[in-house]
């Protein structure tokens, strides 16, 4: 079994992608033991505060609006347990296994930074759950993104103490039963531990990171789909001339234009219409570097924000063992995650929107020069007519979902928590948007592959012919009308599985080792 060593504060996005995309137990997650002395120093500070009967928020006080209430030492364990149980108020569908596994790993790495006052045993138990596939049942709804993801993290923590349900190999069972089967004892939380486990942005960050990874896979597929569509429509590669993009100065634009040039190099289809009479292509072909380059810049910005958040300490209060201080702050506020999720939503919506326009172009014989709806006998056959309608429906749905979540706020906890980020549902909607966009791109890939075949015996470039072959290995050519939904599902699956990532992996942040800006 391959191990992945988590170095708290230094884990790269490519490693987080591995955690999210791997099956239970692969890779086996381990904490860097170098972090242990810092963890134990913070635990010792908590013990000192309790022994000296010093008042410190969350250690021997109530929570939120009840912070002024002192709690007797003999009731501190009960305080932490009550916190977990009272905060486990989530609702809605359960988060998927990949999200829960990533949440467990993110929480462990954050606590291991040594500023939370949580025992090494507790942190390791989080990784025990992840490695053994004991995945707490975490309802998707109930967090406003500050003070941390309290409700969903309470459900995670409840499983550690043997309360609630978990999922093991897809089967629901009581947490107590799963612990017993694994030979693990339910934890009894020490002072500060319940609060540290519940406080933090790990749920919203995990969902946003899953949205990022899905957006990157969709982006990679959209790049090759756009070039395949260009070839099918016999579009020009002149708009990808590097001199144009140097004058603009936008890095994503220049980088995507360079990739487009490499994808088109050696195309016989392009050579066949170098002297055609068309002056300019429609925007959906001509402006691909400008649109997809801007998308790339947003992906990079979101990736940098989420890479920092994944390595951050986001609970409250924070312990500084070197000075003996406990400082209350607001690192639990998920505004950075909310903003990252909102810009990812824009990126996904625009990726799907421009792809839908290319599908419309390809199916229109006036614009494309191809048979109507990309079928040899239009009229008798409807071809891609309604596949385009599906793409339009999904693009429209994405427009509605793209409305920013971060501009909303509702005060909670008797107005103590009076401004919140709404990051959690802002991040959660990314998965639906990515599903929509990947389906749009899947439809475009099928349409463009069909269009390319009307130009035979001419061939495109080697990379684009490889893309065409990948599509055709999954979906045969559309010669006459047939039950079309399975074809679209298969093409969308290729996108979501990252089948087209190889052609643009150097552009995609989480595919670059150590990306942790």
């Amino acid at each position: 079994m391959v191990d992945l060593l988590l170095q708290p504060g230094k884990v790269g996005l490519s490693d987080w992608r591995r955690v999210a995309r791997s099956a239970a137990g692969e890779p086996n997650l381990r904490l860097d033991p170098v972090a242990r002395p810092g963890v134990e120093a913070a635990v010792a500070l908590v013990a000192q505060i309790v022994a000296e009967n010093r008042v410190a928020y969350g250690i021997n006080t109530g929570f939120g609006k009840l912070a002024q209430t002192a709690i007797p030492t003999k009731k501190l364990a009960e305080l932490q347990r009550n916190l977990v149980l009272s905060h486990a108020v989530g609702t809605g569908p359960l988060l998927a296994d990949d999200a829960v596994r990533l949440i467990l790993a993110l929480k462990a790495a954050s606590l291991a930074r040594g500023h939370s006052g949580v025992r090494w045993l507790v942190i390791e138990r989080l990784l025990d759950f992840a490695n053994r596939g004991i995945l707490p049942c975490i309802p998707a709804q109930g967090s406003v993104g500050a003070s941390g993801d309290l409700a969903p993290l309470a459900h995670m923590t409840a499983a550690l103490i043997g309360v609630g349900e978990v999922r093991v190999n897809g089967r629901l069972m009581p947490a107590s039963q799963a612990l017993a089967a694994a030979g693990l004892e339910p934890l009894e939380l020490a002072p500060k531990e319940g609060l540290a486990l519940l406080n933090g942005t790990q749920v919203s960050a995990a969902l946003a990171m899953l949205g990022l990874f899905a957006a990157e896979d969709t982006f990679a597929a959209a790049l090759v789909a756009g070039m395949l569509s260009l070839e099918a429509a016999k579009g020009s590669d002149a708009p990808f001339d590097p001199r144009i993009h140097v004058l603009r100065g936008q890095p994503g634009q220049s980088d995507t234009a360079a990739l487009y040039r490499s994808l088109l190099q050696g195309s016989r289809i392009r050579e066949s219409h170098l002297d055609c009479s068309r002056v300019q292509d429609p925007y959906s072909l001509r402006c691909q570097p400008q649109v997809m380059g801007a998308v790339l810049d947003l992906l990079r910005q979101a990736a940098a924000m989420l890479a920092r958040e994944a390595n951050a300490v986001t609970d409250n209060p924070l312990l500084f063992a070197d000075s003996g201080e406990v400082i209350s702050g607001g690192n639990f506020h998920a505004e950075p995650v909310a903003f990252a999720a909102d810009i990812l939503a824009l990126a996904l919506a625009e990726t799907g929107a421009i792809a839908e326009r290319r599908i419309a172009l390809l199916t229109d014989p006036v614009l494309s020069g191809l048979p109507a709806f990309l079928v040899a006998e239009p009229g008798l056959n409807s071809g891609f007519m309604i596949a385009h309608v599906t793409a339009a429906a999904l693009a429209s749905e994405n427009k509605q979902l793209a409305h920013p979540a971060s501009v909303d706020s509702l005060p909670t906890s008797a107005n103590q928590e009076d401004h919140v980020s709404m990051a959690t549902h802002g991040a959660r909607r990314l998965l639906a948007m990515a599903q929509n966009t990947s389906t749009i791109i899947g439809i475009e890939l099928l349409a463009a592959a069909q269009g390319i075949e009307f130009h035979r015996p001419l061939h495109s470039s080697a990379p684009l012919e490889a893309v065409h072959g990948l599509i055709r290995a999954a979906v045969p050519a559309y010669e006459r009308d047939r039950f079309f939904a399975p074809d679209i599902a298969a093409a969308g699956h290729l996108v979501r599985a990252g089948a087209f990532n190889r052609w643009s992996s150097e552009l995609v942040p989480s595919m670059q080792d150590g990306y942790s800006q």
Side-chain angles (χ1 to χ4, degrees):
M1 183 179 294
V2 177
D3 281 358
L4 174 59
L5 187 68
L6 299 179
Q7 296 178 287
K10 300 178 182 178
V11 184
L13 269 181
S14 60
D15 285 332
W16 292 124
R17 180 184 259 266
R18 285 180 63 199
V19 172
R21 293 294 177 87
S22 300
E26 285 288 348
N28 184 63
L29 306 177
R30 294 193 302 112
L31 285 170
D32 190 339
V34 171
R36 187 162 186 167
V39 168
E40 293 179 344
V43 172
L45 176 55
V46 172
Q48 180 184 346
I49 290 168
V50 172
E52 296 174 355
N53 205 27
R54 288 163 50 190
V55 176
Y57 174 71
I59 296 176
N60 49 20
T61 72
F63 307 103
K65 197 75 169 180
L66 303 175
Q68 305 305 317
T69 304
I71 308 299
T73 300
K74 65 181 181 180
K75 292 191 173 183
L76 294 185
E78 183 182 356
L79 172 70
Q80 298 301 313
R81 183 179 178 85
N82 286 349
L83 175 70
V84 174
L85 299 179
S86 67
H87 284 50
V89 294
T91 189
L94 298 180
L95 294 180
D97 287 357
D98 56 353
V100 177
R101 180 170 161 80
L102 185 55
I103 290 164
L104 291 166
L106 289 168
K107 177 56 82 173
S110 178
L111 297 178
R113 291 284 301 273
H115 293 279
S116 302
V118 175
R119 290 168 294 162
W120 191 258
L121 165 70
V122 176
I123 302 171
E124 285 196 318
R125 181 59 54 83
L126 291 165
L127 296 188
D128 286 338
F129 270 43
N131 289 332
R132 300 184 190 206
I134 304 171
L135 303 176
C137 292
I138 301 177
Q141 295 171 287
S143 175
V144 295
S147 166
D149 292 310
L150 294 172
L153 287 173
H155 285 271
M156 177 200 76
T157 306
L160 301 180
I161 65 174
V163 175
E165 288 189 316
V166 299
R167 197 162 46 218
V168 180
N169 295 322
R171 179 185 164 208
L172 291 177
M173 66 177 65
S176 57
Q177 180 182 333
L179 284 167
L184 301 172
E185 291 290 329
L187 292 175
E188 182 175 342
L189 299 175
K192 178 67 167 62
E193 290 183 337
L195 180 61
L197 285 161
L198 268 60
N199 220 229
T201 64
Q202 285 75 38
V203 173
S204 53
L207 293 171
M209 290 166 72
L210 290 173
L212 169 68
F213 303 150
E216 290 173 332
D217 293 335
T218 302
F219 170 79
L223 294 177
V224 296
M227 289 303 96
L228 210 61
S229 291
L230 183 90
E231 289 282 80
K234 289 192 171 181
S236 173
D237 59 358
F240 311 142
D241 189 304
R243 292 170 293 183
I244 296 173
H245 308 291
V246 167
L247 291 175
R248 187 75 177 274
Q250 297 288 357
Q253 179 176 323
S254 291
D255 291 345
T256 52
L259 179 67
Y260 289 149
R261 292 193 299 273
S262 69
L263 289 173
L264 292 167
Q265 188 172 4
S267 168
R268 297 287 182 171
I269 294 175
R270 176 62 187 130
E271 290 177 8
S272 73
H273 61 94
L274 283 172
D275 299 320
C276 69
S277 59
R278 187 186 298 173
V279 178
Q280 291 188 138
D281 294 322
Y283 288 179
S284 60
L285 298 179
R286 185 181 3 142
C287 298
Q288 289 187 72
Q290 288 76 13
V291 175
M292 297 306 290
V295 167
L296 177 57
D297 286 335
L298 290 185
L299 292 179
R300 286 169 169 168
Q301 182 182 353
M305 295 173 77
L306 293 174
R308 291 190 292 266
E309 192 72 11
N311 285 287
V313 182
T314 58
D315 60 295
N316 177 66
L318 298 180
L319 300 160
F320 296 87
D322 54 351
S323 64
E325 292 179 276
V326 181
I327 304 177
S328 288
N331 277 4
F332 52 72
H333 200 296
E335 195 81 345
V337 181
F339 283 161
D342 282 347
I343 63 177
L344 285 171
L346 295 176
L348 282 163
E350 283 298 274
T351 299
I354 194 170
E356 181 276 327
R357 288 291 80 206
R358 290 192 296 265
I359 298 167
L361 184 154
L362 291 177
T363 55
D364 184 341
V366 175
L367 292 174
S368 69
L370 298 168
F373 303 112
L374 299 169
V375 68
E377 295 183 74
L380 175 63
N381 297 290
S382 294
F384 281 72
M385 180 189 295
I386 307 303
H388 168 244
V389 174
T390 295
L394 297 176
S396 181
E397 185 176 312
N398 272 354
K399 292 176 187 178
Q400 299 166 33
L401 290 170
H403 181 81
S406 59
V407 299
D408 188 23
S409 178
L410 283 173
T412 62
S413 193
N415 284 310
Q416 175 75 2
E417 297 161 4
D418 57 352
H419 180 274
V420 298
S421 71
M422 301 299 181
T424 318
H425 72 260
R428 192 176 73 246
R429 51 96 192 248
L430 295 175
L431 302 178
M433 294 187 70
Q435 177 84 13
N436 290 344
T437 305
S438 65
T439 302
I440 296 170
I441 300 303
I443 293 170
E444 183 187 4
L445 287 164
L446 294 177
Q450 190 80 0
I452 288 283
E453 288 159 5
F454 286 112
H455 301 316
R456 296 300 189 219
L458 296 175
H459 283 74
S460 183
S461 64
L464 292 180
E465 287 296 338
V467 170
H468 179 271
L470 190 58
I471 297 164
R472 283 291 169 255
V475 179
Y478 195 111
E479 297 177 357
R480 61 183 59 85
D481 283 347
R482 62 178 186 242
F483 187 43
F484 204 178
D487 297 350
I488 294 171
H493 175 74
L494 287 176
V495 176
R496 291 185 289 277
F500 305 98
N501 292 355
R502 72 186 80 164
W503 288 285
S504 57
S505 59
E506 71 277 6
L507 297 182
V508 178
S510 77
M511 298 178 202
Q512 299 166 19
D513 289 338
Y515 191 94
S516 57
Q517 293 182 25

